[in-house]
Amino acid sequence: DTGVSQDPRHKITKRGQNVTFRCDPISEHNRLYWYRQTLGQGPEFLTYFQNEAQLEKSRLLSDRFSAERPKGSFSTLEIQRTEQGDSAMYLCASSLRTVDEKLFFGSGTQLSVL
Amino acid sequence: QKEVEQDPGPLSVPEGAIVSLNCTYSNSAFQYFMWYRQYSRKGPELLMYTYSSGNKEDGRFTAQVDKSSKYISLFIRDSQPSDSATYLCAMSAIEIIFGKGTRLHILP
């Protein structure tokens, strides 16, 4: 499978715990994006990387959230001290920016904070 | 006013009908316009991608962009039950901004 891969698919955690999600983009894609989606809403932009550089972060991304893309390949999104309001689908997407803006999404990680 | 407005539906139409989905936007800097389809518990899948104003056709799908009215549309001809999904419009200048999505049900 050469698509965008996300792990885990589902995560249930207790409030106050830390969680980490992983995204493996399409191999030749140089841009990697993180979005958050809640029920009945469209995806909301969180952050994106061009290769290993994090170029933009949304105001939605509080200081409890951190994302990395070491070596410009896979990326991790960590949420510290989770809150119930963090419950959402976390979507990763990748694109080949030098060509166009077409995003290819993974199936997402569904986070439930109890 | 949100940057991208999209009626959330749900929209129910009989099989075989022509479906019309629409979005309006406020940011005149948007240059790229996209439609994504999202099935339940899955990530969005790119359906149509257009740059600037005009029409683009791909099989049963036609995307229209009217930059003067800040209005984009997606038409689905000969709709099938498998087209039942949420359809998200998206547009970009720097960031890619999504609409809320319209839930579509095609009734057999």
Side-chain angles (χ1 to χ4, degrees):
Chain A
D1 187 346
T2 57
V4 177
S5 177
Q6 290 189 248
D7 184 67
R9 289 294 311 278
H10 306 276
K11 179 71 177 177
I12 300 173
T13 191
K14 292 183 178 178
R15 190 174 50 188
Q17 298 294 304
N18 299 344
V19 294
T20 300
F21 311 139
R22 177 181 169 121
C23 172
D24 287 272
I26 293 171
S27 59
E28 64 268 27
H29 284 185
N30 54 2
R31 278 205 175 177
L32 186 148
Y33 302 77
W34 286 99
Y35 282 81
R36 179 171 66 189
Q37 186 177 26
T38 54
L39 199 62
Q41 302 294 317
E44 294 176 300
F45 170 79
L46 293 178
T47 188
Y48 85 88
F49 293 83
Q50 172 117 350
N51 301 312
E52 66 275 10
Q54 189 173 16
L55 295 188
E56 193 169 340
K57 292 167 64 171
S58 166
R59 289 185 298 275
L60 294 174
L61 211 65
S62 78
D63 56 7
R64 296 184 298 106
F65 287 70
S66 62
E68 294 183 343
R69 193 184 182 195
K71 303 178 184 177
S73 56
F74 72 92
S75 176
T76 58
L77 178 68
E78 181 182 17
I79 309 174
Q80 295 182 325
R81 305 180 304 281
T82 52
E83 301 172 357
Q84 286 186 322
D86 296 332
S87 296
M89 173 82 85
Y90 289 84
L91 292 163
C92 176
S94 68
S95 73
L96 188 57
R97 179 62 181 91
T98 50
V99 176
D100 53 41
E101 296 278 3
K102 295 178 183 177
L103 296 184
F104 294 83
F105 282 88
S107 291
T109 294
Q110 182 66 53
L111 173 66
S112 298
V113 181
L114 305 178
Chain B
Q1 183 188 9
K2 289 201 167 188
E3 278 194 289
V4 179
E5 299 276 2
Q6 183 175 12
D7 187 331
L11 178 63
S12 297
V13 299
E15 184 176 356
I18 295 174
V19 175
S20 172
L21 304 167
N22 311 292
C23 287
T24 58
Y25 63 94
S26 57
N27 187 348
S28 57
F30 287 142
Q31 295 185 61
Y32 298 93
F33 302 90
M34 294 144 277
W35 286 94
Y36 285 81
R37 178 175 62 196
Q38 187 173 25
Y39 293 113
S40 181
R41 299 186 187 88
K42 296 286 188 183
E45 169 195 11
L46 181 64
L47 273 180
M48 300 291 284
Y49 178 92
T50 54
Y51 173 71
S52 198
S53 284
N55 292 0
K56 183 173 182 179
E57 188 174 321
D58 184 1
R60 297 185 296 112
F61 299 90
T62 300
Q64 285 186 351
V65 174
D66 182 347
K67 292 189 77 177
S68 62
S69 302
K70 296 190 177 69
Y71 188 88
I72 70 170
S73 301
L74 178 70
F75 298 96
I76 307 174
R77 291 184 299 280
D78 187 25
S79 55
Q80 306 293 312
S82 58
D83 294 328
S84 297
T86 296
Y87 289 80
L88 298 154
C89 64
M91 43 202 82
S92 73
I94 299 173
E95 287 177 23
I96 299 173
I97 307 295
F98 285 82
K100 284 188 173 185
T102 299
R103 286 176 295 147
L104 174 65
H105 300 289
I106 306 299
L107 307 170

